[in-house]
Amino acid sequence: MDRKIKELNAELNQIAKRLDEQYHLYASRHGLSDPAFWVLYTIYESDSQYTQNELAEMWCYPKQTVNFAISGLVKKGYLILEPIAATRHSKAVRLTKEGEMICKAVIAPLIEAEQRSLARMTEEERALSLSLSENHCRIFQEEVGNLLHSQVDSWRKEPK
């Protein structure tokens, strides 16, 4: 593999980790796990309703992780689960009044910081960053899919 590609890959991974670390640091300083933070962030920021399963899929967490985070947020009085009409088991995750207050104090300032950081970039830089990130993610998903398809758990087989 070309050394420049190897170095670029390492740098991109480190940048992604540094960005992720900023969210982790912010969440933990406010007494939130990463999954709990992203649940509150999503519910607060969006006008849509979400189920626990949708939140797990959206943030690439196991369902059990999101369910555990949500149950902790329900116990704290920040969220409630409401049955969704015309479904048997699905429940919408909603903020309580206390949850709204917490989100205004914790989530809203971070969203504003995210927006300010993007505003410091030119419109062209923002568009290019989004386009390149989406393209890299799509291609990497294809590559991982190819790997998983070709490997078919061969590494788990015991040598004879």
Side-chain angles (χ1 to χ4, degrees):
M1 178 71 50
D2 183 348
R3 182 154 179 76
K4 287 184 181 183
I5 294 290
K6 187 176 179 179
E7 290 170 3
L8 176 63
N9 186 60
E11 286 181 46
L12 286 170
N13 285 332
Q14 290 165 10
I15 290 168
K17 183 64 179 152
R18 285 188 357 235
L19 186 60
D20 189 50
E21 182 61 22
Q22 295 309 300
Y23 289 102
H24 172 74
L25 175 66
Y26 190 82
S28 65
R29 289 268 171 96
H30 289 88
L32 296 168
S33 67
D34 291 358
F37 169 81
W38 288 114
V39 166
L40 289 175
Y41 182 105
T42 304
I43 302 303
Y44 178 73
E45 186 201 33
S46 177
D47 294 328
S48 300
Q49 74 177 15
Y50 294 100
T51 65
Q52 294 180 75
N53 289 343
E54 289 169 333
L55 290 165
E57 187 175 311
M58 178 185 297
W59 292 108
C60 302
Y61 284 117
K63 289 177 189 176
Q64 302 91 319
T65 300
V66 170
N67 293 350
F68 182 77
I70 288 172
S71 96
L73 293 169
V74 167
K75 286 177 187 169
K76 289 181 178 181
Y78 300 160
L79 296 178
I80 57 171
L81 299 174
E82 293 181 341
I84 299 173
T87 65
R88 292 184 70 185
H89 301 292
S90 294
K91 293 182 180 179
V93 181
R94 299 206 190 280
L95 291 169
T96 62
K97 288 196 186 301
E98 190 171 345
E100 279 281 338
M101 291 184 342
I102 291 298
C103 286
K104 285 179 181 172
V106 175
I107 305 299
L110 184 70
I111 291 171
E112 291 166 7
E114 289 173 322
Q115 292 170 353
R116 284 192 308 271
S117 71
L118 287 171
R120 291 171 60 182
M121 299 168 70
T122 67
E123 187 174 335
E124 293 80 20
E125 288 171 329
R126 291 189 299 265
L128 184 59
S129 179
L130 180 61
S131 174
L132 293 173
S133 295
E134 285 177 339
N135 193 37
H136 182 220
C137 185
R138 180 187 54 77
I139 293 169
F140 185 60
Q141 284 174 319
E142 289 173 8
E143 290 293 332
V144 170
N146 292 340
L147 270 177
L148 294 173
H149 180 74
S150 69
Q151 290 176 342
V152 194
D153 293 335
S154 62
W155 62 273
R156 290 186 189 194
K157 293 180 183 172
E158 295 292 323
K160 294 183 179 183

